[in-house]
Every structure is written in structure tokens, then in C-alpha cells.
Amino acid sequence: MSAGVYHYSDEYDVGNTPYVSASNMNNGIQQRINLDPDFKGNCIVTGKVGCTCFYQSEDFCATSDVNIFRPRAFNLNRKIGLFIVSIINFSENYKWNYGRQCRIGDSKKINIKLPVKMVENEYIIDPNKEFSEEGYMPDFNFIENFMEDVENAERGRVKDLLKII
């Protein structure tokens, strides 16, 4: 986890690099600037005010009003990122505001409950307990398949709407 880096407005002009802020719109992208990215994409970003969360696919710059999450124990991709973002937005947004911001220390305490691996109705337990104190392991295949189903359903809805128009 890391915090963004503030850039004064006289340091940059309009460009191609996303500048992510604590905004809850436009995937957190305040504007596009001409600085080289400070952070690699394929990560999760939360605003300190409101803890609004987004998956960032592109390399980007970020204001100091955001926290950047990178997993240590698994490979993040867009589908897993979007799934986790949904959980954080659902479980955390109501807890934070301008007077009570979600800083790095607070972000480290966020507990993200994910579907766990099972075989024949038995949990697969990781003896190294890399993901939880109990040894439960997230089922990333389930998450990716679930998100694929969600995306396909939405594509179908969009096609149906386009037929009406």
C-alpha cells in the first residue's frame, strides 16, 4: 500500500497520463496530464475521503488524497480487481468522510471477504495461512468466472437496448 504524490498545478499541462484524485467519478481520474506516471497500473485505488474505490488499469499519477493497493500474495487482473473494488465500495464507503479520512493505516485494516476454494464441500486450507489466519484461500477462478458472467449479462442488456433504439 502506498499514498499518492501531490503535483502542483504549475508542474503539468494537459497530456495523456491519468491523474487520479479522490473523485468518485470518471474512475477517479481528475484529468490527464503530461507528466510521466508515478505508479504502474493494474492496481486498486481508494480515495481517502469516502474511501471510493476504483480499479486502475493504466499507469498513472495520483494525488496525495488516494491510497494505492497492490496485492502481495496473488496476481491481480481486471476481473479480480473489479470484484474487489465492488466489495470495498459496498463495505467501506459509508464509514469515511472529510472529517474521518481513510488513511494508509486505516486501509490496512480493511477486511475483504472473498469466496473461498472448496473441493467436494470441503474448504482447502493453506498451511502457510497466506490469505487469512484460518488458512482459507480465495477462489480466484470462481471470481473470474463470476465477473465474466456479469460482463456477458451486461453486454446482452446493452445489445437489447440498442435494438430498441
Side-chain angles (χ1 to χ4, degrees), residues 111-131:
N111 188 12
I112 303 168
K113 295 182 179 180
L114 299 173
V116 296
K117 283 187 179 182
M118 294 181 79
V119 172
E120 298 178 10
N121 292 327
E122 295 285 330
Y123 294 112
I124 298 174
I125 302 297
D126 174 18
N128 298 325
K129 299 183 178 182
E130 198 167 17
F131 294 100

PDB file of all heavy atoms in Angstrom, residues 111-131:
ATOM      1  N   ASN A 111     -10.978  -5.359   5.838  1.00  0.00           N
ATOM      2  CA  ASN A 111     -11.101  -6.810   5.727  1.00  0.00           C
ATOM      3  C   ASN A 111     -11.966  -7.111   4.499  1.00  0.00           C
ATOM      4  O   ASN A 111     -13.146  -6.760   4.477  1.00  0.00           O
ATOM      5  CB  ASN A 111     -11.732  -7.375   6.996  1.00  0.00           C
ATOM      6  CG  ASN A 111     -11.726  -8.875   7.030  1.00  0.00           C
ATOM      7  OD1 ASN A 111     -11.071  -9.528   6.227  1.00  0.00           O
ATOM      8  ND2 ASN A 111     -12.460  -9.432   7.965  1.00  0.00           N
ATOM      9  N   ILE A 112     -11.376  -7.730   3.507  1.00  0.00           N
ATOM     10  CA  ILE A 112     -12.081  -8.031   2.259  1.00  0.00           C
ATOM     11  C   ILE A 112     -12.417  -9.511   2.250  1.00  0.00           C
ATOM     12  O   ILE A 112     -11.537 -10.362   2.205  1.00  0.00           O
ATOM     13  CB  ILE A 112     -11.209  -7.662   1.036  1.00  0.00           C
ATOM     14  CG1 ILE A 112     -10.823  -6.191   1.097  1.00  0.00           C
ATOM     15  CG2 ILE A 112     -11.945  -7.994  -0.253  1.00  0.00           C
ATOM     16  CD1 ILE A 112      -9.755  -5.798   0.106  1.00  0.00           C
ATOM     17  N   LYS A 113     -13.714  -9.816   2.311  1.00  0.00           N
ATOM     18  CA  LYS A 113     -14.159 -11.209   2.323  1.00  0.00           C
ATOM     19  C   LYS A 113     -14.390 -11.670   0.889  1.00  0.00           C
ATOM     20  O   LYS A 113     -15.200 -11.095   0.163  1.00  0.00           O
ATOM     21  CB  LYS A 113     -15.421 -11.344   3.155  1.00  0.00           C
ATOM     22  CG  LYS A 113     -15.172 -11.030   4.616  1.00  0.00           C
ATOM     23  CD  LYS A 113     -16.409 -11.215   5.448  1.00  0.00           C
ATOM     24  CE  LYS A 113     -16.100 -10.905   6.902  1.00  0.00           C
ATOM     25  NZ  LYS A 113     -17.268 -11.083   7.746  1.00  0.00           N
ATOM     26  N   LEU A 114     -13.668 -12.715   0.505  1.00  0.00           N
ATOM     27  CA  LEU A 114     -13.747 -13.263  -0.847  1.00  0.00           C
ATOM     28  C   LEU A 114     -14.280 -14.689  -0.798  1.00  0.00           C
ATOM     29  O   LEU A 114     -14.155 -15.371   0.221  1.00  0.00           O
ATOM     30  CB  LEU A 114     -12.357 -13.268  -1.493  1.00  0.00           C
ATOM     31  CG  LEU A 114     -11.680 -11.911  -1.659  1.00  0.00           C
ATOM     32  CD1 LEU A 114     -10.251 -12.094  -2.160  1.00  0.00           C
ATOM     33  CD2 LEU A 114     -12.471 -11.030  -2.613  1.00  0.00           C
ATOM     34  N   PRO A 115     -14.843 -15.171  -1.914  1.00  0.00           N
ATOM     35  CA  PRO A 115     -15.233 -16.586  -1.964  1.00  0.00           C
ATOM     36  C   PRO A 115     -13.995 -17.460  -1.772  1.00  0.00           C
ATOM     37  O   PRO A 115     -12.905 -17.105  -2.220  1.00  0.00           O
ATOM     38  CB  PRO A 115     -15.795 -16.765  -3.370  1.00  0.00           C
ATOM     39  CG  PRO A 115     -15.831 -15.435  -4.001  1.00  0.00           C
ATOM     40  CD  PRO A 115     -15.086 -14.467  -3.156  1.00  0.00           C
ATOM     41  N   VAL A 116     -14.162 -18.589  -1.094  1.00  0.00           N
ATOM     42  CA  VAL A 116     -13.010 -19.448  -0.800  1.00  0.00           C
ATOM     43  C   VAL A 116     -13.055 -20.747  -1.596  1.00  0.00           C
ATOM     44  O   VAL A 116     -14.118 -21.211  -2.005  1.00  0.00           O
ATOM     45  CB  VAL A 116     -12.897 -19.754   0.710  1.00  0.00           C
ATOM     46  CG1 VAL A 116     -12.630 -18.477   1.493  1.00  0.00           C
ATOM     47  CG2 VAL A 116     -14.125 -20.446   1.231  1.00  0.00           C
ATOM     48  N   LYS A 117     -11.872 -21.312  -1.795  1.00  0.00           N
ATOM     49  CA  LYS A 117     -11.751 -22.572  -2.538  1.00  0.00           C
ATOM     50  C   LYS A 117     -12.334 -23.727  -1.741  1.00  0.00           C
ATOM     51  O   LYS A 117     -12.088 -23.852  -0.537  1.00  0.00           O
ATOM     52  CB  LYS A 117     -10.282 -22.883  -2.834  1.00  0.00           C
ATOM     53  CG  LYS A 117      -9.687 -22.096  -3.952  1.00  0.00           C
ATOM     54  CD  LYS A 117      -8.291 -22.605  -4.255  1.00  0.00           C
ATOM     55  CE  LYS A 117      -7.691 -21.822  -5.397  1.00  0.00           C
ATOM     56  NZ  LYS A 117      -6.366 -22.329  -5.749  1.00  0.00           N
ATOM     57  N   MET A 118     -13.060 -24.567  -2.475  1.00  0.00           N
ATOM     58  CA  MET A 118     -13.623 -25.771  -1.871  1.00  0.00           C
ATOM     59  C   MET A 118     -13.502 -26.925  -2.860  1.00  0.00           C
ATOM     60  O   MET A 118     -13.547 -26.710  -4.067  1.00  0.00           O
ATOM     61  CB  MET A 118     -15.103 -25.572  -1.532  1.00  0.00           C
ATOM     62  CG  MET A 118     -15.366 -24.550  -0.463  1.00  0.00           C
ATOM     63  SD  MET A 118     -17.121 -24.391  -0.093  1.00  0.00           S
ATOM     64  CE  MET A 118     -17.351 -25.824   0.930  1.00  0.00           C
ATOM     65  N   VAL A 119     -13.345 -28.127  -2.333  1.00  0.00           N
ATOM     66  CA  VAL A 119     -13.375 -29.345  -3.131  1.00  0.00           C
ATOM     67  C   VAL A 119     -14.280 -30.319  -2.383  1.00  0.00           C
ATOM     68  O   VAL A 119     -14.053 -30.594  -1.193  1.00  0.00           O
ATOM     69  CB  VAL A 119     -11.962 -29.934  -3.328  1.00  0.00           C
ATOM     70  CG1 VAL A 119     -12.036 -31.296  -3.999  1.00  0.00           C
ATOM     71  CG2 VAL A 119     -11.089 -28.994  -4.132  1.00  0.00           C
ATOM     72  N   GLU A 120     -15.299 -30.799  -3.097  1.00  0.00           N
ATOM     73  CA  GLU A 120     -16.262 -31.735  -2.511  1.00  0.00           C
ATOM     74  C   GLU A 120     -16.795 -31.218  -1.173  1.00  0.00           C
ATOM     75  O   GLU A 120     -16.792 -31.916  -0.166  1.00  0.00           O
ATOM     76  CB  GLU A 120     -15.650 -33.125  -2.375  1.00  0.00           C
ATOM     77  CG  GLU A 120     -15.266 -33.739  -3.708  1.00  0.00           C
ATOM     78  CD  GLU A 120     -14.610 -35.098  -3.566  1.00  0.00           C
ATOM     79  OE1 GLU A 120     -14.613 -35.674  -2.463  1.00  0.00           O
ATOM     80  OE2 GLU A 120     -14.090 -35.588  -4.586  1.00  0.00           O
ATOM     81  N   ASN A 121     -17.221 -29.969  -1.171  1.00  0.00           N
ATOM     82  CA  ASN A 121     -17.798 -29.305   0.004  1.00  0.00           C
ATOM     83  C   ASN A 121     -16.854 -29.191   1.198  1.00  0.00           C
ATOM     84  O   ASN A 121     -17.295 -29.031   2.331  1.00  0.00           O
ATOM     85  CB  ASN A 121     -19.105 -29.976   0.435  1.00  0.00           C
ATOM     86  CG  ASN A 121     -20.196 -29.759  -0.580  1.00  0.00           C
ATOM     87  OD1 ASN A 121     -20.237 -28.718  -1.237  1.00  0.00           O
ATOM     88  ND2 ASN A 121     -21.063 -30.736  -0.727  1.00  0.00           N
ATOM     89  N   GLU A 122     -15.564 -29.291   0.942  1.00  0.00           N
ATOM     90  CA  GLU A 122     -14.555 -29.109   1.995  1.00  0.00           C
ATOM     91  C   GLU A 122     -13.669 -27.917   1.620  1.00  0.00           C
ATOM     92  O   GLU A 122     -13.236 -27.802   0.474  1.00  0.00           O
ATOM     93  CB  GLU A 122     -13.674 -30.359   2.127  1.00  0.00           C
ATOM     94  CG  GLU A 122     -14.397 -31.598   2.603  1.00  0.00           C
ATOM     95  CD  GLU A 122     -14.705 -31.561   4.084  1.00  0.00           C
ATOM     96  OE1 GLU A 122     -13.931 -30.928   4.845  1.00  0.00           O
ATOM     97  OE2 GLU A 122     -15.725 -32.157   4.480  1.00  0.00           O
ATOM     98  N   TYR A 123     -13.414 -27.062   2.588  1.00  0.00           N
ATOM     99  CA  TYR A 123     -12.527 -25.926   2.333  1.00  0.00           C
ATOM    100  C   TYR A 123     -11.106 -26.416   2.130  1.00  0.00           C
ATOM    101  O   TYR A 123     -10.646 -27.325   2.821  1.00  0.00           O
ATOM    102  CB  TYR A 123     -12.542 -24.953   3.515  1.00  0.00           C
ATOM    103  CG  TYR A 123     -13.870 -24.279   3.716  1.00  0.00           C
ATOM    104  CD1 TYR A 123     -14.651 -24.561   4.832  1.00  0.00           C
ATOM    105  CD2 TYR A 123     -14.349 -23.367   2.791  1.00  0.00           C
ATOM    106  CE1 TYR A 123     -15.871 -23.946   5.022  1.00  0.00           C
ATOM    107  CE2 TYR A 123     -15.576 -22.747   2.975  1.00  0.00           C
ATOM    108  CZ  TYR A 123     -16.332 -23.043   4.084  1.00  0.00           C
ATOM    109  OH  TYR A 123     -17.539 -22.443   4.270  1.00  0.00           O
ATOM    110  N   ILE A 124     -10.419 -25.791   1.192  1.00  0.00           N
ATOM    111  CA  ILE A 124      -8.990 -26.053   1.011  1.00  0.00           C
ATOM    112  C   ILE A 124      -8.259 -25.094   1.943  1.00  0.00           C
ATOM    113  O   ILE A 124      -8.445 -23.882   1.865  1.00  0.00           O
ATOM    114  CB  ILE A 124      -8.557 -25.848  -0.449  1.00  0.00           C
ATOM    115  CG1 ILE A 124      -9.296 -26.829  -1.353  1.00  0.00           C
ATOM    116  CG2 ILE A 124      -7.048 -25.984  -0.577  1.00  0.00           C
ATOM    117  CD1 ILE A 124      -9.044 -26.625  -2.822  1.00  0.00           C
ATOM    118  N   ILE A 125      -7.463 -25.629   2.821  1.00  0.00           N
ATOM    119  CA  ILE A 125      -6.764 -24.808   3.816  1.00  0.00           C
ATOM    120  C   ILE A 125      -5.288 -24.692   3.441  1.00  0.00           C
ATOM    121  O   ILE A 125      -4.627 -25.685   3.167  1.00  0.00           O
ATOM    122  CB  ILE A 125      -6.905 -25.414   5.233  1.00  0.00           C
ATOM    123  CG1 ILE A 125      -8.374 -25.539   5.617  1.00  0.00           C
ATOM    124  CG2 ILE A 125      -6.126 -24.607   6.267  1.00  0.00           C
ATOM    125  CD1 ILE A 125      -9.136 -24.228   5.701  1.00  0.00           C
ATOM    126  N   ASP A 126      -4.804 -23.471   3.449  1.00  0.00           N
ATOM    127  CA  ASP A 126      -3.406 -23.179   3.163  1.00  0.00           C
ATOM    128  C   ASP A 126      -2.615 -23.259   4.474  1.00  0.00           C
ATOM    129  O   ASP A 126      -2.854 -22.462   5.384  1.00  0.00           O
ATOM    130  CB  ASP A 126      -3.302 -21.781   2.552  1.00  0.00           C
ATOM    131  CG  ASP A 126      -1.870 -21.318   2.357  1.00  0.00           C
ATOM    132  OD1 ASP A 126      -0.952 -22.161   2.359  1.00  0.00           O
ATOM    133  OD2 ASP A 126      -1.678 -20.096   2.194  1.00  0.00           O
ATOM    134  N   PRO A 127      -1.692 -24.214   4.580  1.00  0.00           N
ATOM    135  CA  PRO A 127      -0.927 -24.342   5.835  1.00  0.00           C
ATOM    136  C   PRO A 127      -0.080 -23.103   6.139  1.00  0.00           C
ATOM    137  O   PRO A 127       0.242 -22.836   7.292  1.00  0.00           O
ATOM    138  CB  PRO A 127      -0.059 -25.577   5.616  1.00  0.00           C
ATOM    139  CG  PRO A 127      -0.039 -25.808   4.147  1.00  0.00           C
ATOM    140  CD  PRO A 127      -1.281 -25.187   3.577  1.00  0.00           C
ATOM    141  N   ASN A 128       0.277 -22.328   5.103  1.00  0.00           N
ATOM    142  CA  ASN A 128       1.066 -21.107   5.311  1.00  0.00           C
ATOM    143  C   ASN A 128       0.218 -19.922   5.764  1.00  0.00           C
ATOM    144  O   ASN A 128       0.752 -18.892   6.140  1.00  0.00           O
ATOM    145  CB  ASN A 128       1.817 -20.732   4.035  1.00  0.00           C
ATOM    146  CG  ASN A 128       2.794 -21.804   3.624  1.00  0.00           C
ATOM    147  OD1 ASN A 128       3.397 -22.461   4.469  1.00  0.00           O
ATOM    148  ND2 ASN A 128       2.948 -21.993   2.324  1.00  0.00           N
ATOM    149  N   LYS A 129      -1.104 -20.078   5.678  1.00  0.00           N
ATOM    150  CA  LYS A 129      -2.056 -19.037   6.082  1.00  0.00           C
ATOM    151  C   LYS A 129      -1.717 -17.686   5.462  1.00  0.00           C
ATOM    152  O   LYS A 129      -1.662 -16.660   6.135  1.00  0.00           O
ATOM    153  CB  LYS A 129      -2.133 -18.964   7.594  1.00  0.00           C
ATOM    154  CG  LYS A 129      -2.621 -20.273   8.185  1.00  0.00           C
ATOM    155  CD  LYS A 129      -2.767 -20.217   9.666  1.00  0.00           C
ATOM    156  CE  LYS A 129      -3.296 -21.568  10.139  1.00  0.00           C
ATOM    157  NZ  LYS A 129      -3.529 -21.633  11.542  1.00  0.00           N
ATOM    158  N   GLU A 130      -1.493 -17.737   4.154  1.00  0.00           N
ATOM    159  CA  GLU A 130      -1.093 -16.540   3.419  1.00  0.00           C
ATOM    160  C   GLU A 130      -2.226 -15.522   3.268  1.00  0.00           C
ATOM    161  O   GLU A 130      -1.979 -14.326   3.202  1.00  0.00           O
ATOM    162  CB  GLU A 130      -0.596 -16.975   2.028  1.00  0.00           C
ATOM    163  CG  GLU A 130       0.224 -15.961   1.320  1.00  0.00           C
ATOM    164  CD  GLU A 130       0.932 -16.555   0.118  1.00  0.00           C
ATOM    165  OE1 GLU A 130       0.559 -17.649  -0.348  1.00  0.00           O
ATOM    166  OE2 GLU A 130       1.857 -15.906  -0.354  1.00  0.00           O
ATOM    167  N   PHE A 131      -3.476 -15.996   3.233  1.00  0.00           N
ATOM    168  CA  PHE A 131      -4.601 -15.096   2.975  1.00  0.00           C
ATOM    169  C   PHE A 131      -5.448 -14.809   4.208  1.00  0.00           C
ATOM    170  O   PHE A 131      -6.158 -13.814   4.249  1.00  0.00           O
ATOM    171  CB  PHE A 131      -5.498 -15.668   1.874  1.00  0.00           C
ATOM    172  CG  PHE A 131      -4.817 -15.721   0.548  1.00  0.00           C
ATOM    173  CD1 PHE A 131      -4.268 -16.909   0.082  1.00  0.00           C
ATOM    174  CD2 PHE A 131      -4.713 -14.599  -0.246  1.00  0.00           C
ATOM    175  CE1 PHE A 131      -3.636 -16.963  -1.155  1.00  0.00           C
ATOM    176  CE2 PHE A 131      -4.077 -14.638  -1.473  1.00  0.00           C
ATOM    177  CZ  PHE A 131      -3.542 -15.822  -1.923  1.00  0.00           C
TER     178      PHE A 131
END
